[in-house]
Amino acid sequence: MELKQLYQEIILDHAKNPRNKGKCENYNHDAKAHNPLCGDKVHIYLNLDKDNIRGLSFEGEGCAISLASASILTDTLKGRDLTFTKNITNNFLNMLKSKSKITLNSLSEDQITTINSLSGVQEFPMRIKCATMAWHALLSAIEKKN
Ligand code: ZN
């Protein structure tokens, strides 16, 4: 299978069957973001226990890219600690800015392929916000308590 096609299938799968959708139990941090260019909305819920992300989920509506990105984010970072989470988030945001790909040895090969599936938006500057919105919301959620 061509890589581009694999990436598309991953995005469609996450958009159609989003992981961790809804409010997670006992969330104590949350943040919203929206992307007026495309009409996407996302609300990130976080159950943060000191440095550990015990729960991570989202509610949202919008295009396939925005939903897939939020789903992939929760799937990759749930159960991880904040150092790891900030590292991955920064790498993801840089990836879209610098047109690179993620290559982190702290992630499994599957996880790397899944995150890199969103790298296709690099060619469409209007869509980059669709992919980054949930990750910016996550960073705001970490900073503020509800
Ligand atoms: Zn969008």
Side-chain angles (χ1 to χ4, degrees), residues 35-111:
N35 173 16
L37 287 176
C38 186
D40 309 317
K41 287 180 189 158
V42 72
H43 195 158
I44 296 280
Y45 299 94
L46 190 61
N47 175 352
L48 198 58
D49 178 10
K50 291 189 186 113
D51 267 356
N52 292 306
I53 297 182
R54 300 246 180 256
L56 180 57
S57 66
F58 79 101
E59 285 178 334
E61 53 187 80
C63 67
I65 300 277
S66 71
L67 294 173
S69 185
S71 171
I72 289 169
L73 173 157
T74 59
D75 213 23
T76 310
L77 301 175
K78 195 173 157 183
R80 301 289 196 149
D81 66 28
L82 284 186
T83 309
F84 178 89
T85 295
K86 286 179 182 169
N87 184 21
I88 301 290
T89 303
N90 288 331
N91 271 279
F92 176 78
L93 296 174
N94 283 334
M95 164 179 102
L96 294 184
K97 255 191 251 159
S98 65
K99 302 201 172 193
S100 56
K101 292 235 162 69
I102 276 193
T103 53
L104 286 164
N105 49 19
S106 46
L107 289 170
S108 72
E109 211 167 306
D110 261 10
Q111 286 177 311

Side-chain angles (χ1 to χ4, degrees), residues 113-125:
T113 307
T114 301
I115 292 183
N116 280 330
S117 72
L118 293 163
S119 64
V121 300
Q122 289 161 342
E123 292 165 47
F124 307 97

